[in-house]
């Protein structure tokens, strides 16, 4: 669904409506690699910059910090029901009997009694304590249908309001749609002008699944430096915006919610000043035509072992992509 300004409990928030009827704010704060700064960043984002959407994950190791930030924001007067909090089921919990306890841990860390959105982080299962890169035997068979069934129960019990997936291919999503009783509301994928990921975006739109673009600035260490990409810089200069704002806005204009991460108050605020203006069509098209399309976060370190199955290369991980 197109972006709209929804009034959520009296506050006007630029958001998208999910299949479930709930709304997801268009811009959220990413928290991967935020470390001990996560608490301050979340507080600054919510209280000083007006964010109402925070993205985290058990695997980021910052849920406790994020929870402190949220608690402080609530103490400062923001209501919990005005916030949209996402977390993710890590691959070591990717078996039906572990879903509930993983969610309970996440809620405890975040000091919350429900999540707005719980996502499958990766569609692969890892042994507890798997190394990086994985050793032989670290990547296990997974029961997607069983895991999704447990995620659905969390919705029925009001422990989470919406469920969804990350890092799925269209084939995996299609398979999930074949057995899902509750549709995934959100598919979170890497998306930025250096990796548009057009096909899955189109697929999700056709199926009414909202897409959240992760790593919208090209990610951090080892990522793609889109901030200094000439096309991005030129359009930023022309529109009198920062490159970060252009990248966030590009994602929003494609109909995706966007979750830029920063631990710096000035950037957190800058990344939110993306309302009330548009990237003109010709500039939007230029940003959508940047060559050298390449995924930054391909899962290699997490799941690939070139000497032992099931995934011997990155291509194996994404082999059902088209
Ligand atoms: P981003 O694309 O958000 O880029 C973050 C980097 O950009 C950091 O180095 C940050 O530095 C810098 N930065 C932030 N704002 C600006 C700005 N205005 N100008 C210049 N530099 C800036 O990377 P992430 O990979 O962190 O993705 C965002 C979020 O998406 C994650 O934090 C996480 O929540 C989620 N995610 C989900 C994944 C999944 O598998 N589902 C995968 C990857 C990410 P600094 O902090 O120093 O400001
Ligand atoms: C290890 C997790 C990648 C970012 O979501």
């Amino acid at each position: 669904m197109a972006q709209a300004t929804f009034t959520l409990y009296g506050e006007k928030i630029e958001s998208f409506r999910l299949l479930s009827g709930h709304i997801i704010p268009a811009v959220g704060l990413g928290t991967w690699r935020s470390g001990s700064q996560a608490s301050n960043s979340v507080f600054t984002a919510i209280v000083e910059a007006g964010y109402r959407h925070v993205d985290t994950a058990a695997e980021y190791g910052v849920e406790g910090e994020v929870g402190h930030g949220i608690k402080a924001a609530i103490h400062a007067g923001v209501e919990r029901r005005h916030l949209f909090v996402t977390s993710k089921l890590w691959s070591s919990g990717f078996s039906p009997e572990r879903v509930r306890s993983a969610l309970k841990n996440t809620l405890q860390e975040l000091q919350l009694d429900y999540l707005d959105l719980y996502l499958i982080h990766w569609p692969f299962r890892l042994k507890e304590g798997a190394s990086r890169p994985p050793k032989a035997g670290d990547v296990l068979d997974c029961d997607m249908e069983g895991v999704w069934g447990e995620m659905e129960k969390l919705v029925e019990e009001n422990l989470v309001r919406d469920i969804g997936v990350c890092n799925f291919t269209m084939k995996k999503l299609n398979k999930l749609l074949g057995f899902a009783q509750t549709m995934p509301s959100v598919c979170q994928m890497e998306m930025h002008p250096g990796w548009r990921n057009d096909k899955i975006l189109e697929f999700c739109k056709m199926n009414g699944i909202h897409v959240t673009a992760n790593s919208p600035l090209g990610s951090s260490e080892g990522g793609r430096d889109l901030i200094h990409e000439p096309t991005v810089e030129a359009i930023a200069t022309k529109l009198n915006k920062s490159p970060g704002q252009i990248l966030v806005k590009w994602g929003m204009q494609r109909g995706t919610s966007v979750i830029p991460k920063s631990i710096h108050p000035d950037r957190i605020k800058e990344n939110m000043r993306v309302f009330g203006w548009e990237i003109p069509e010709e500039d939007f098209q230029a940003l959508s035509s940047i060559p050298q399309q390449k995924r930054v976060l391909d899962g290699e370190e997490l799941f690939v072992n070139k000497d032992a199955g099931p995934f011997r290369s990155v291509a194996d991980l994404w082999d059902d992509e088209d």
Side-chain angles (χ1 to χ4, degrees):
M1 161 165 303
Q3 187 193 339
T5 305
F6 293 103
T7 302
L8 180 65
Y9 306 114
E11 289 190 326
K12 283 196 187 328
I13 298 178
E14 303 281 338
S15 315
F16 297 95
R17 195 173 289 284
L18 304 177
L19 273 174
S20 60
H22 300 135
I23 66 167
I24 182 167
V27 180
L29 180 75
T31 60
W32 184 32
R33 294 172 168 159
S34 291
S36 60
Q37 296 302 309
S39 174
N40 287 341
S41 306
V42 167
F43 181 83
T44 300
I46 298 173
V47 175
E48 294 176 24
Y51 287 63
R52 292 294 176 265
H53 174 179
V54 177
D55 181 89
T56 193
E59 182 58 15
Y60 301 166
V62 295
E63 284 181 319
E65 290 284 338
V66 169
H68 284 303
I70 292 173
K71 193 172 182 183
I74 290 171
H75 190 68
V78 176
E79 292 187 48
R80 165 65 184 101
R81 67 196 177 117
H82 291 185
L83 299 174
F84 189 100
V85 182
T86 302
S87 193
K88 312 186 189 93
L89 173 70
W90 183 239
S91 294
S92 57
F94 200 79
S95 60
E97 65 280 8
R98 302 192 78 167
V99 172
R100 177 170 300 266
S101 58
L103 186 264
K104 291 277 185 179
N105 280 343
T106 277
L107 289 177
Q108 194 176 344
E109 287 290 307
L110 289 169
Q111 303 182 59
L112 297 177
D113 52 15
Y114 72 92
L115 282 184
D116 294 274
L117 178 63
Y118 198 38
L119 301 171
I120 292 175
H121 205 149
W122 283 87
F124 309 115
R125 182 177 167 206
L126 290 173
K127 197 168 137 184
E128 187 75 54
S131 36
R132 291 186 189 178
K135 297 189 301 293
D138 278 352
V139 182
L140 305 172
D141 288 340
C142 58
D143 171 6
M144 183 69 76
E145 191 167 351
V147 166
W148 192 254
E150 290 300 310
M151 302 271 289
E152 289 173 330
K153 286 185 197 158
L154 301 178
V155 178
E156 285 157 23
E157 293 170 37
N158 297 319
L159 290 168
V160 310
R161 299 185 85 194
D162 279 276
I163 49 179
V165 301
C166 310
N167 302 306
F168 267 46
T169 57
M170 285 184 285
K171 285 215 175 103
K172 287 194 177 70
L173 252 179
N174 237 336
K175 201 167 162 191
L176 189 148
L177 298 185
F179 55 69
Q181 304 292 313
T182 302
M183 283 278 284
S185 298
V186 173
C187 176
Q188 187 182 119
M189 301 291 292
E190 178 183 337
M191 283 184 189
H192 44 71
W195 180 246
R196 291 189 301 274
N197 227 337
D198 289 324
K199 286 185 186 164
I200 196 146
L201 178 60
E202 218 30 62
F203 177 88
C204 287
K205 281 186 179 171
M206 271 167 39
N207 286 282
I209 301 169
H210 175 75
V211 174
T212 296
N214 67 244
S215 309
L217 310 177
S219 201
S220 45
E221 298 150 45
R224 171 121 179 224
D225 186 5
L226 292 170
I227 294 288
H228 297 102
E229 167 80 35
T231 308
V232 176
E233 280 187 322
I235 293 170
T237 303
K238 177 179 160 191
L239 301 182
N240 199 22
K241 303 292 175 193
S242 73
Q245 289 169 329
I246 295 297
L247 293 165
V248 172
K249 190 72 188 185
W250 178 82
M252 288 167 59
Q253 282 185 217
R254 291 178 100 206
T256 65
S257 50
V258 186
I259 46 172
K261 171 263 176 184
S262 180
I263 54 169
H264 293 103
D266 51 346
R267 287 177 172 175
I268 291 172
K269 291 172 192 167
E270 174 187 318
N271 295 342
M272 189 60 163
R273 287 197 295 271
V274 286
F275 301 106
W277 56 276
E278 294 285 312
I279 301 173
E281 180 60 20
E282 59 171 346
D283 297 324
F284 181 82
Q285 288 309 332
L287 290 163
S288 305
S289 312
I290 288 177
Q292 293 156 343
Q293 291 292 302
K294 194 173 180 324
R295 186 178 266 124
V296 172
L297 303 161
D298 58 16
E300 177 169 19
E301 208 207 357
L302 298 168
F303 306 108
V304 173
N305 179 329
K306 65 180 174 40
D307 301 316
F311 305 115
R312 307 265 176 144
S313 67
V314 170
D316 284 348
L317 284 180
W318 301 94
D319 69 345
D320 57 352
E321 190 155 34
D322 285 313

